[in-house]
Amino acid sequence: MAFLIIQNGVREVDAACYVCDEVVELDNALAACFLRDFSRYLTEVRQSSDQYSSVDLSHCVGTDGSENRGIVKMPVLEPDAQPNPSASAPLRTVYIMDERSLLCLQKLVVPLSGKLSPGKPFDLIKECAP
């Protein structure tokens, strides 16, 4: 059973979101896109019967669609390939978030706007603890 508490205009549900992402990693482009579309994501979560929704930032990355996924693709393993320490995996673009996580991430991202290169992980469990 979950209880709904309205405090300072924010709905809070005492039940944890067990399918929500705990860590979100954003770079400058994804952060700007997240902030631009924040109200749409918040509306989707508030209208969801599950109290969570997917935050899809895939439209914020390359126009060729190569990074248009929520999961990181498996690398191609070549028999004689040498590891490249400077290569980084593309950031995820789809996250499952509830209202509390969305509101917290917004508060964390705003002061860092333009300072998230190459990408910063946000631990929503630690950084959003009440």
CSV table of all heavy atoms in Angstrom, one decimal, residues 48-110:
chain,number,residue,atom,x,y,z
A,48,SER,N,1.1,8.8,-15.2
A,48,SER,CA,1.3,7.4,-15.3
A,48,SER,C,0.6,6.7,-14.1
A,48,SER,O,0.8,7.1,-13.0
A,48,SER,CB,2.8,7.1,-15.3
A,48,SER,OG,3.0,5.7,-15.1
A,49,SER,N,-0.1,5.6,-14.4
A,49,SER,CA,-0.7,4.9,-13.3
A,49,SER,C,0.4,4.2,-12.4
A,49,SER,O,0.1,3.8,-11.3
A,49,SER,CB,-1.7,3.9,-13.8
A,49,SER,OG,-1.0,2.9,-14.7
A,50,ASP,N,1.6,4.0,-13.0
A,50,ASP,CA,2.7,3.3,-12.3
A,50,ASP,C,3.5,4.2,-11.5
A,50,ASP,O,4.4,3.8,-10.7
A,50,ASP,CB,3.6,2.6,-13.3
A,50,ASP,CG,2.9,1.5,-14.0
A,50,ASP,OD1,2.0,0.8,-13.4
A,50,ASP,OD2,3.1,1.3,-15.3
A,51,GLN,N,3.3,5.5,-11.6
A,51,GLN,CA,4.1,6.6,-10.9
A,51,GLN,C,5.5,6.7,-11.4
A,51,GLN,O,6.4,7.2,-10.7
A,51,GLN,CB,4.1,6.4,-9.4
A,51,GLN,CG,2.7,6.4,-8.8
A,51,GLN,CD,2.0,7.8,-9.0
A,51,GLN,OE1,2.6,8.8,-8.7
A,51,GLN,NE2,0.8,7.8,-9.5
A,52,TYR,N,5.8,6.1,-12.6
A,52,TYR,CA,7.1,6.3,-13.2
A,52,TYR,C,7.0,6.2,-14.7
A,52,TYR,O,5.9,5.8,-15.2
A,52,TYR,CB,8.1,5.2,-12.7
A,52,TYR,CG,7.7,3.8,-13.1
A,52,TYR,CD1,8.0,3.2,-14.3
A,52,TYR,CD2,7.1,3.0,-12.1
A,52,TYR,CE1,7.6,1.9,-14.6
A,52,TYR,CE2,6.7,1.7,-12.4
A,52,TYR,CZ,7.0,1.1,-13.6
A,52,TYR,OH,6.6,-0.1,-13.9
A,53,SER,N,8.0,6.7,-15.4
A,53,SER,CA,7.9,6.7,-16.9
A,53,SER,C,9.3,6.7,-17.4
A,53,SER,O,10.3,6.9,-16.7
A,53,SER,CB,7.2,8.0,-17.3
A,53,SER,OG,7.1,8.0,-18.7
A,54,SER,N,9.5,6.4,-18.7
A,54,SER,CA,10.8,6.4,-19.3
A,54,SER,C,11.1,7.9,-19.7
A,54,SER,O,10.2,8.6,-20.2
A,54,SER,CB,10.8,5.5,-20.5
A,54,SER,OG,10.0,6.0,-21.6
A,55,VAL,N,12.3,8.2,-19.5
A,55,VAL,CA,12.8,9.5,-19.9
A,55,VAL,C,13.8,9.2,-21.1
A,55,VAL,O,14.8,8.6,-20.9
A,55,VAL,CB,13.6,10.2,-18.8
A,55,VAL,CG1,14.3,11.5,-19.3
A,55,VAL,CG2,12.7,10.5,-17.6
A,56,ASP,N,13.3,9.5,-22.3
A,56,ASP,CA,14.0,9.1,-23.5
A,56,ASP,C,14.7,10.4,-24.1
A,56,ASP,O,14.0,11.3,-24.6
A,56,ASP,CB,13.0,8.6,-24.5
A,56,ASP,CG,13.6,8.0,-25.8
A,56,ASP,OD1,14.9,8.2,-25.9
A,56,ASP,OD2,12.9,7.4,-26.6
A,57,LEU,N,16.0,10.4,-24.0
A,57,LEU,CA,16.8,11.5,-24.5
A,57,LEU,C,17.5,11.1,-25.8
A,57,LEU,O,18.4,11.8,-26.3
A,57,LEU,CB,17.9,11.8,-23.5
A,57,LEU,CG,17.4,12.2,-22.1
A,57,LEU,CD1,18.5,12.3,-21.1
A,57,LEU,CD2,16.6,13.5,-22.1
A,58,SER,N,17.0,10.1,-26.5
A,58,SER,CA,17.6,9.6,-27.7
A,58,SER,C,17.5,10.7,-28.8
A,58,SER,O,18.4,10.7,-29.7
A,58,SER,CB,17.0,8.3,-28.2
A,58,SER,OG,15.7,8.4,-28.5
A,59,HIS,N,16.5,11.5,-28.8
A,59,HIS,CA,16.4,12.5,-29.8
A,59,HIS,C,17.4,13.7,-29.6
A,59,HIS,O,17.6,14.6,-30.5
A,59,HIS,CB,15.0,13.1,-29.9
A,59,HIS,CG,14.6,13.8,-28.6
A,59,HIS,ND1,14.2,13.1,-27.5
A,59,HIS,CD2,14.6,15.1,-28.3
A,59,HIS,CE1,14.0,14.0,-26.5
A,59,HIS,NE2,14.2,15.2,-26.9
A,60,CYS,N,18.2,13.6,-28.5
A,60,CYS,CA,19.2,14.6,-28.2
A,60,CYS,C,20.6,14.3,-28.7
A,60,CYS,O,21.5,15.1,-28.6
A,60,CYS,CB,19.3,14.8,-26.7
A,60,CYS,SG,17.7,15.1,-25.9
A,61,VAL,N,20.8,13.2,-29.3
A,61,VAL,CA,22.1,12.8,-29.7
A,61,VAL,C,22.2,12.8,-31.3
A,61,VAL,O,21.3,13.2,-31.9
A,61,VAL,CB,22.5,11.4,-29.2
A,61,VAL,CG1,22.7,11.4,-27.7
A,61,VAL,CG2,21.5,10.3,-29.6
A,62,GLY,N,23.3,12.3,-31.8
A,62,GLY,CA,23.6,12.3,-33.2
A,62,GLY,C,22.4,12.1,-34.1
A,62,GLY,O,21.5,11.3,-33.9
A,63,THR,N,22.4,12.8,-35.2
A,63,THR,CA,21.3,12.8,-36.2
A,63,THR,C,21.4,11.5,-37.0
A,63,THR,O,20.4,11.2,-37.7
A,63,THR,CB,21.3,14.0,-37.1
A,63,THR,OG1,22.6,14.0,-37.8
A,63,THR,CG2,21.1,15.3,-36.4
A,64,ASP,N,22.5,10.8,-37.0
A,64,ASP,CA,22.6,9.6,-37.8
A,64,ASP,C,21.9,8.4,-37.1
A,64,ASP,O,21.8,7.3,-37.7
A,64,ASP,CB,24.0,9.2,-38.1
A,64,ASP,CG,24.8,8.9,-36.8
A,64,ASP,OD1,24.3,9.1,-35.7
A,64,ASP,OD2,26.0,8.5,-37.0
A,65,GLY,N,21.4,8.6,-35.9
A,65,GLY,CA,20.7,7.5,-35.1
A,65,GLY,C,21.7,6.5,-34.5
A,65,GLY,O,21.2,5.5,-33.9
A,66,SER,N,23.0,6.7,-34.7
A,66,SER,CA,23.9,5.7,-34.2
A,66,SER,C,23.9,5.5,-32.7
A,66,SER,O,24.2,4.5,-32.1
A,66,SER,CB,25.3,6.0,-34.6
A,66,SER,OG,25.7,7.2,-34.1
A,67,GLU,N,23.5,6.5,-31.9
A,67,GLU,CA,23.4,6.5,-30.5
A,67,GLU,C,21.9,6.5,-30.0
A,67,GLU,O,21.7,6.8,-28.9
A,67,GLU,CB,24.2,7.6,-29.9
A,67,GLU,CG,25.6,7.6,-30.2
A,67,GLU,CD,26.3,8.8,-29.6
A,67,GLU,OE1,26.2,9.1,-28.5
A,67,GLU,OE2,27.1,9.5,-30.4
A,68,ASN,N,21.1,6.1,-30.8
A,68,ASN,CA,19.6,6.2,-30.6
A,68,ASN,C,19.1,5.0,-29.8
A,68,ASN,O,18.2,4.4,-30.3
A,68,ASN,CB,18.9,6.4,-31.9
A,68,ASN,CG,17.5,6.9,-31.7
A,68,ASN,OD1,17.1,7.2,-30.6
A,68,ASN,ND2,16.8,7.0,-32.8
A,69,ARG,N,19.7,4.7,-28.7
A,69,ARG,CA,19.3,3.5,-27.9
A,69,ARG,C,19.5,3.7,-26.5
A,69,ARG,O,20.2,4.6,-26.0
A,69,ARG,CB,20.2,2.3,-28.3
A,69,ARG,CG,20.2,2.1,-29.8
A,69,ARG,CD,20.7,0.7,-30.2
A,69,ARG,NE,21.7,0.2,-29.3
A,69,ARG,CZ,23.0,0.2,-29.5
A,69,ARG,NH1,23.4,0.8,-30.6
A,69,ARG,NH2,23.8,-0.3,-28.7
A,70,GLY,N,18.8,3.0,-25.7
A,70,GLY,CA,18.8,3.1,-24.2
A,70,GLY,C,19.8,2.2,-23.6
A,70,GLY,O,20.1,2.3,-22.4
A,71,ILE,N,20.4,1.3,-24.4
A,71,ILE,CA,21.4,0.4,-23.8
A,71,ILE,C,22.7,0.6,-24.5
A,71,ILE,O,22.7,1.1,-25.7
A,71,ILE,CB,20.9,-1.1,-24.0
A,71,ILE,CG1,20.7,-1.5,-25.4
A,71,ILE,CG2,19.7,-1.4,-23.1
A,71,ILE,CD1,20.4,-2.9,-25.7
A,72,VAL,N,23.8,0.2,-23.9
A,72,VAL,CA,25.1,0.3,-24.5
A,72,VAL,C,25.3,-0.9,-25.4
A,72,VAL,O,25.2,-2.0,-24.9
A,72,VAL,CB,26.2,0.5,-23.4
A,72,VAL,CG1,27.6,0.5,-24.1
A,72,VAL,CG2,25.9,1.7,-22.6
A,73,LYS,N,25.7,-0.7,-26.6
A,73,LYS,CA,26.0,-1.8,-27.5
A,73,LYS,C,27.2,-2.6,-27.1
A,73,LYS,O,28.1,-2.0,-26.5
A,73,LYS,CB,26.0,-1.4,-29.0
A,73,LYS,CG,27.3,-0.6,-29.3
A,73,LYS,CD,27.3,-0.2,-30.8
A,73,LYS,CE,28.5,0.5,-31.1
A,73,LYS,NZ,28.6,0.9,-32.5
A,74,MET,N,27.2,-3.9,-27.4
A,74,MET,CA,28.4,-4.7,-27.1
A,74,MET,C,29.5,-4.3,-28.1
A,74,MET,O,29.2,-4.1,-29.3
A,74,MET,CB,28.0,-6.2,-27.2
A,74,MET,CG,27.0,-6.7,-26.2
A,74,MET,SD,27.7,-6.6,-24.6
A,74,MET,CE,28.9,-7.8,-24.6
A,75,PRO,N,30.7,-4.3,-27.6
A,75,PRO,CA,31.8,-3.9,-28.5
A,75,PRO,C,32.1,-5.1,-29.5
A,75,PRO,O,31.8,-6.3,-29.2
A,75,PRO,CB,33.0,-3.7,-27.6
A,75,PRO,CG,32.7,-4.5,-26.4
A,75,PRO,CD,31.2,-4.5,-26.2
A,76,VAL,N,32.7,-4.8,-30.6
A,76,VAL,CA,33.1,-5.8,-31.6
A,76,VAL,C,34.5,-6.2,-31.1
A,76,VAL,O,35.4,-5.4,-31.0
A,76,VAL,CB,33.1,-5.2,-33.0
A,76,VAL,CG1,33.7,-6.2,-34.0
A,76,VAL,CG2,31.8,-4.7,-33.4
A,77,LEU,N,34.6,-7.5,-30.9
A,77,LEU,CA,35.9,-8.0,-30.4
A,77,LEU,C,36.7,-8.6,-31.6
A,77,LEU,O,36.2,-9.5,-32.3
A,77,LEU,CB,35.7,-9.1,-29.4
A,77,LEU,CG,34.9,-8.7,-28.2
A,77,LEU,CD1,34.6,-9.9,-27.2
A,77,LEU,CD2,35.6,-7.6,-27.4
A,78,GLU,N,37.8,-8.0,-31.9
A,78,GLU,CA,38.7,-8.5,-32.9
A,78,GLU,C,39.8,-9.3,-32.3
A,78,GLU,O,40.3,-8.9,-31.3
A,78,GLU,CB,39.2,-7.3,-33.7
A,78,GLU,CG,38.1,-6.3,-34.1
A,78,GLU,CD,38.0,-6.1,-35.6
A,78,GLU,OE1,38.8,-6.6,-36.3
A,78,GLU,OE2,37.0,-5.5,-36.0
A,79,PRO,N,40.3,-10.3,-33.0
A,79,PRO,CA,41.3,-11.2,-32.4
A,79,PRO,C,42.6,-10.5,-32.0
A,79,PRO,O,43.2,-10.7,-30.9
A,79,PRO,CB,41.6,-12.3,-33.4
A,79,PRO,CG,40.6,-12.0,-34.5
A,79,PRO,CD,39.9,-10.8,-34.3
A,80,ASP,N,43.1,-9.5,-32.8
A,80,ASP,CA,44.3,-8.9,-32.5
A,80,ASP,C,44.2,-7.4,-32.1
A,80,ASP,O,45.1,-6.6,-32.1
A,80,ASP,CB,45.3,-9.0,-33.7
A,80,ASP,CG,45.6,-10.4,-34.1
A,80,ASP,OD1,45.7,-11.2,-33.1
A,80,ASP,OD2,45.8,-10.7,-35.3
A,81,ALA,N,43.0,-7.0,-31.7
A,81,ALA,CA,42.7,-5.6,-31.4
A,81,ALA,C,43.4,-5.3,-30.0
A,81,ALA,O,43.4,-6.0,-29.1
A,81,ALA,CB,41.2,-5.4,-31.3
A,82,GLN,N,44.0,-4.1,-30.0
A,82,GLN,CA,44.6,-3.6,-28.8
A,82,GLN,C,43.5,-2.7,-28.1
A,82,GLN,O,42.8,-1.9,-28.8
A,82,GLN,CB,45.8,-2.7,-29.1
A,82,GLN,CG,46.9,-3.6,-29.8
A,82,GLN,CD,47.4,-4.6,-28.8
A,82,GLN,OE1,47.6,-4.4,-27.6
A,82,GLN,NE2,47.6,-5.8,-29.4
A,83,PRO,N,43.4,-2.7,-26.8
A,83,PRO,CA,42.5,-1.9,-26.1
A,83,PRO,C,42.8,-0.4,-26.3
A,83,PRO,O,44.0,0.0,-26.4
A,83,PRO,CB,42.6,-2.3,-24.6
A,83,PRO,CG,43.8,-3.1,-24.5
A,83,PRO,CD,44.2,-3.5,-25.9
A,84,ASN,N,41.8,0.4,-26.4
A,84,ASN,CA,41.9,1.9,-26.6
A,84,ASN,C,41.4,2.5,-25.3
A,84,ASN,O,40.2,2.7,-25.2
A,84,ASN,CB,41.2,2.3,-27.8
A,84,ASN,CG,41.4,3.8,-28.1
A,84,ASN,OD1,42.0,4.5,-27.3
A,84,ASN,ND2,40.7,4.3,-29.2
A,85,PRO,N,42.3,2.9,-24.4
A,85,PRO,CA,41.9,3.5,-23.2
A,85,PRO,C,41.2,4.9,-23.3
A,85,PRO,O,40.5,5.3,-22.4
A,85,PRO,CB,43.2,3.7,-22.4
A,85,PRO,CG,44.3,3.6,-23.4
A,85,PRO,CD,43.8,2.9,-24.5
A,86,SER,N,41.4,5.6,-24.4
A,86,SER,CA,40.8,6.9,-24.6
A,86,SER,C,39.4,6.8,-25.2
A,86,SER,O,38.7,7.7,-25.1
A,86,SER,CB,41.7,7.7,-25.5
A,86,SER,OG,41.7,7.2,-26.8
A,87,ALA,N,39.0,5.6,-25.7
A,87,ALA,CA,37.7,5.4,-26.2
A,87,ALA,C,36.7,5.3,-25.0
A,87,ALA,O,36.9,4.6,-24.1
A,87,ALA,CB,37.6,4.2,-27.1
A,88,SER,N,35.6,6.0,-25.1
A,88,SER,CA,34.6,5.8,-24.1
A,88,SER,C,33.3,5.3,-24.7
A,88,SER,O,33.0,5.5,-25.9
A,88,SER,CB,34.3,7.2,-23.4
A,88,SER,OG,33.8,8.1,-24.4
A,89,ALA,N,32.5,4.6,-23.9
A,89,ALA,CA,31.3,4.1,-24.3
A,89,ALA,C,30.3,5.2,-24.4
A,89,ALA,O,30.3,6.2,-23.7
A,89,ALA,CB,30.8,3.0,-23.3
A,90,PRO,N,29.3,5.1,-25.4
A,90,PRO,CA,28.3,6.2,-25.5
A,90,PRO,C,27.4,6.1,-24.3
A,90,PRO,O,27.2,5.1,-23.7
A,90,PRO,CB,27.5,5.8,-26.8
A,90,PRO,CG,27.9,4.4,-27.0
A,90,PRO,CD,29.2,4.1,-26.4
A,91,LEU,N,26.9,7.3,-23.9
A,91,LEU,CA,26.1,7.4,-22.7
A,91,LEU,C,24.7,6.8,-23.1
A,91,LEU,O,24.2,6.9,-24.2
A,91,LEU,CB,25.9,8.9,-22.3
A,91,LEU,CG,27.1,9.6,-21.9
A,91,LEU,CD1,26.8,11.0,-21.6
A,91,LEU,CD2,27.8,8.9,-20.7
A,92,ARG,N,24.1,6.2,-22.1
A,92,ARG,CA,22.7,5.8,-22.2
A,92,ARG,C,21.8,7.0,-22.5
A,92,ARG,O,22.0,8.1,-22.1
A,92,ARG,CB,22.2,5.1,-21.0
A,92,ARG,CG,22.8,3.7,-20.8
A,92,ARG,CD,22.3,3.0,-19.5
A,92,ARG,NE,20.8,3.0,-19.5
A,92,ARG,CZ,20.1,2.9,-18.4
A,92,ARG,NH1,20.7,2.8,-17.3
A,92,ARG,NH2,18.8,2.9,-18.5
A,93,THR,N,20.7,6.7,-23.2
A,93,THR,CA,19.8,7.8,-23.5
A,93,THR,C,18.4,7.6,-23.0
A,93,THR,O,17.5,8.4,-23.2
A,93,THR,CB,19.7,8.1,-25.0
A,93,THR,OG1,19.4,6.9,-25.7
A,93,THR,CG2,21.1,8.6,-25.5
A,94,VAL,N,18.1,6.4,-22.4
A,94,VAL,CA,16.8,6.1,-21.9
A,94,VAL,C,16.9,5.7,-20.4
A,94,VAL,O,17.7,4.8,-20.1
A,94,VAL,CB,16.1,5.0,-22.7
A,94,VAL,CG1,14.7,4.7,-22.1
A,94,VAL,CG2,15.9,5.4,-24.2
A,95,TYR,N,16.1,6.3,-19.6
A,95,TYR,CA,16.1,6.0,-18.2
A,95,TYR,C,14.7,5.9,-17.7
A,95,TYR,O,13.8,6.6,-18.2
A,95,TYR,CB,16.8,7.1,-17.4
A,95,TYR,CG,18.3,7.3,-17.7
A,95,TYR,CD1,18.7,8.2,-18.6
A,95,TYR,CD2,19.3,6.5,-17.1
A,95,TYR,CE1,20.1,8.3,-18.9
A,95,TYR,CE2,20.6,6.6,-17.4
A,95,TYR,CZ,21.0,7.6,-18.3
A,95,TYR,OH,22.3,7.7,-18.6
A,96,ILE,N,14.5,5.1,-16.7
A,96,ILE,CA,13.2,4.9,-16.0
A,96,ILE,C,13.3,5.8,-14.7
A,96,ILE,O,14.2,5.5,-13.9
A,96,ILE,CB,12.9,3.5,-15.7
A,96,ILE,CG1,12.9,2.6,-16.9
A,96,ILE,CG2,11.5,3.4,-15.0
A,96,ILE,CD1,11.9,2.9,-18.0
A,97,MET,N,12.4,6.7,-14.6
A,97,MET,CA,12.4,7.6,-13.4
A,97,MET,C,11.0,7.9,-12.9
A,97,MET,O,10.1,7.8,-13.6
A,97,MET,CB,13.1,8.9,-13.8
A,97,MET,CG,14.5,8.8,-14.3
A,97,MET,SD,15.2,10.3,-14.8
A,97,MET,CE,15.6,11.0,-13.2
A,98,ASP,N,11.0,8.1,-11.6
A,98,ASP,CA,9.8,8.5,-10.9
A,98,ASP,C,9.8,10.0,-10.7
A,98,ASP,O,10.8,10.7,-11.0
A,98,ASP,CB,9.5,7.7,-9.6
A,98,ASP,CG,10.6,7.9,-8.6
A,98,ASP,OD1,11.5,8.7,-8.8
A,98,ASP,OD2,10.6,7.2,-7.6
A,99,GLU,N,8.8,10.6,-10.1
A,99,GLU,CA,8.7,12.0,-9.9
A,99,GLU,C,9.8,12.5,-9.0
A,99,GLU,O,10.4,13.6,-9.3
A,99,GLU,CB,7.3,12.4,-9.3
A,99,GLU,CG,7.1,13.9,-9.1
A,99,GLU,CD,5.7,14.2,-8.7
A,99,GLU,OE1,4.8,13.4,-8.7
A,99,GLU,OE2,5.5,15.4,-8.3
A,100,ARG,N,10.1,11.9,-7.9
A,100,ARG,CA,11.1,12.3,-7.0
A,100,ARG,C,12.5,12.3,-7.7
A,100,ARG,O,13.2,13.3,-7.5
A,100,ARG,CB,11.1,11.4,-5.8
A,100,ARG,CG,12.2,11.8,-4.7
A,100,ARG,CD,12.1,10.9,-3.5
A,100,ARG,NE,10.9,11.2,-2.8
A,100,ARG,CZ,10.6,10.7,-1.6
A,100,ARG,NH1,11.4,9.9,-1.0
A,100,ARG,NH2,9.5,11.1,-1.1
A,101,SER,N,12.8,11.3,-8.4
A,101,SER,CA,14.1,11.3,-9.1
A,101,SER,C,14.2,12.4,-10.2
A,101,SER,O,15.2,13.0,-10.3
A,101,SER,CB,14.3,9.9,-9.8
A,101,SER,OG,14.3,8.9,-8.9
A,102,LEU,N,13.1,12.6,-10.9
A,102,LEU,CA,13.1,13.7,-11.9
A,102,LEU,C,13.3,15.1,-11.2
A,102,LEU,O,14.2,15.8,-11.7
A,102,LEU,CB,11.7,13.8,-12.6
A,102,LEU,CG,11.5,12.9,-13.8
A,102,LEU,CD1,10.1,12.9,-14.3
A,102,LEU,CD2,12.5,13.3,-14.9
A,103,LEU,N,12.6,15.4,-10.2
A,103,LEU,CA,12.8,16.6,-9.5
A,103,LEU,C,14.2,16.8,-8.9
A,103,LEU,O,14.8,17.9,-9.0
A,103,LEU,CB,11.7,16.8,-8.4
A,103,LEU,CG,10.3,16.9,-8.9
A,103,LEU,CD1,9.3,16.8,-7.8
A,103,LEU,CD2,10.1,18.2,-9.7
A,104,CYS,N,14.7,15.7,-8.4
A,104,CYS,CA,16.0,15.8,-7.8
A,104,CYS,C,17.1,16.0,-8.9
A,104,CYS,O,18.0,16.8,-8.8
A,104,CYS,CB,16.3,14.5,-7.0
A,104,CYS,SG,18.0,14.5,-6.3
A,105,LEU,N,17.0,15.2,-10.0
A,105,LEU,CA,17.9,15.4,-11.1
A,105,LEU,C,17.9,16.8,-11.6
A,105,LEU,O,19.0,17.3,-11.9
A,105,LEU,CB,17.7,14.3,-12.2
A,105,LEU,CG,18.7,14.3,-13.3
A,105,LEU,CD1,20.1,14.0,-12.8
A,105,LEU,CD2,18.3,13.3,-14.4
A,106,GLN,N,16.8,17.4,-11.8
A,106,GLN,CA,16.7,18.7,-12.2
A,106,GLN,C,17.5,19.7,-11.3
A,106,GLN,O,18.2,20.5,-11.8
A,106,GLN,CB,15.2,19.2,-12.3
A,106,GLN,CG,15.1,20.6,-12.8
A,106,GLN,CD,13.7,21.2,-12.6
A,106,GLN,OE1,13.1,20.9,-11.6
A,106,GLN,NE2,13.3,22.1,-13.5
A,107,LYS,N,17.3,19.5,-10.0
A,107,LYS,CA,18.0,20.4,-9.1
A,107,LYS,C,19.5,20.2,-9.1
A,107,LYS,O,20.3,21.1,-8.9
A,107,LYS,CB,17.5,20.1,-7.6
A,107,LYS,CG,16.1,20.7,-7.4
A,107,LYS,CD,15.7,20.4,-6.0
A,107,LYS,CE,14.2,20.8,-5.8
A,107,LYS,NZ,13.7,20.4,-4.5
A,108,LEU,N,19.9,18.9,-9.4
A,108,LEU,CA,21.4,18.6,-9.5
A,108,LEU,C,22.0,19.2,-10.8
A,108,LEU,O,23.1,19.6,-10.8
A,108,LEU,CB,21.6,17.1,-9.4
A,108,LEU,CG,21.2,16.5,-8.1
A,108,LEU,CD1,21.3,14.9,-8.2
A,108,LEU,CD2,22.2,16.9,-7.0
A,109,VAL,N,21.2,19.1,-11.9
A,109,VAL,CA,21.8,19.5,-13.2
A,109,VAL,C,21.8,21.0,-13.4
A,109,VAL,O,22.8,21.5,-14.0
A,109,VAL,CB,20.9,18.8,-14.3
A,109,VAL,CG1,21.3,19.4,-15.7
A,109,VAL,CG2,21.1,17.3,-14.3
A,110,VAL,N,20.8,21.7,-12.9
A,110,VAL,CA,20.8,23.2,-13.2
A,110,VAL,C,22.1,23.9,-12.8
A,110,VAL,O,22.6,24.6,-13.7
A,110,VAL,CB,19.6,23.8,-12.5
A,110,VAL,CG1,19.6,25.3,-12.5
A,110,VAL,CG2,18.3,23.4,-13.2
